Amino acid sequence: MNDTGAVAAAGRTNHTRGLIGTGLLATLAAMAATTVAAALARAGGVDFEVPDGGETIPVPGFTVVTGFFSVVGVVIAAALGRWSTRPAKRFVQTALPLTAISFVPPLLAGATTATTAALIGLHVIAATVMIPTLARSLRRAG
C-alpha cells in the first residue's frame, strides 16, 4: 500500500471509530428516552398488554429492545460509511423504511389502541434520536 492509501485507510478507521462512538452515545440516549416515555405511558394508564400470548411488556423490555435495534442501526451506518459513496443519504433511505416496517407488529398484535399508539410512538422516539445523529456523523465522515 502506498502512503496515500495508508492515510486514507487511517482516516476511514478514525471516522468509523467516531461513528461508532457517536452511535453508542445515541443508543444510550434512545434507550433512556424510550424507557422514560414507556414509564410515563404506563403511569398514564397504558397497559402494554399484547393479546398474542397475553403478556404485558415490562418497561425494562423497552430499554433492551431499543438498545439492540439501535446497535443494529449503528452497524448498518458503519457498513454504509465503509462501502457507500453517499453513506448519509443511503442510511436515511434505509432507516426510514425500516422504521416504518417496525410499526407493523404493533398494528397486528391486537393490542388496545392506547398500547398500539404508545408502541408506535416509542419507535418514533428511538428513530428520532438515532437517524439524524447517525446521518450527521456519516456526513462529517464523508
Side-chain angles (χ1 to χ4, degrees), residues 6 16 30 56 80 82 87 102 111 114:
T16 301
T56 298
L80 290 169
R82 172 87 170 120
S102 79

Side-chain angles (χ1 to χ4, degrees), residues 15-123:
H15 290 304
T16 301
R17 282 188 194 141
L19 172 71
I20 290 170
T22 298
L24 293 179
L25 287 174
T27 296
L28 292 174
M31 290 167 68
T34 57
T35 302
V36 168
L40 290 172
R42 168 123 335 122
V46 177
D47 62 15
F48 290 116
E49 184 179 325
V50 181
D52 292 346
E55 303 245 346
T56 298
I57 303 168
V59 171
F62 296 107
T63 310
V64 171
V65 172
T66 300
F68 176 80
F69 284 105
S70 294
V71 169
V72 169
V74 174
V75 170
I76 291 169
L80 290 169
R82 172 87 170 120
W83 290 297
S84 176
T85 57
R86 301 180 70 187
K89 180 178 180 179
R90 297 291 178 246
F91 177 73
V92 172
Q93 289 174 333
T94 302
L96 290 177
L98 288 174
T99 301
I101 290 167
S102 79
F103 299 163
V104 173
L107 291 169
L108 297 178
T112 65
T113 302
T115 295
T116 301
L119 290 171
I120 290 172
L122 292 171
H123 289 219

Side-chain angles (χ1 to χ4, degrees), residues 119-137:
L119 290 171
I120 290 172
L122 292 171
H123 289 219
V124 170
I125 289 169
T128 301
V129 172
M130 294 304 297
I131 295 171
T133 302
L134 292 171
R136 259 192 316 276
S137 188

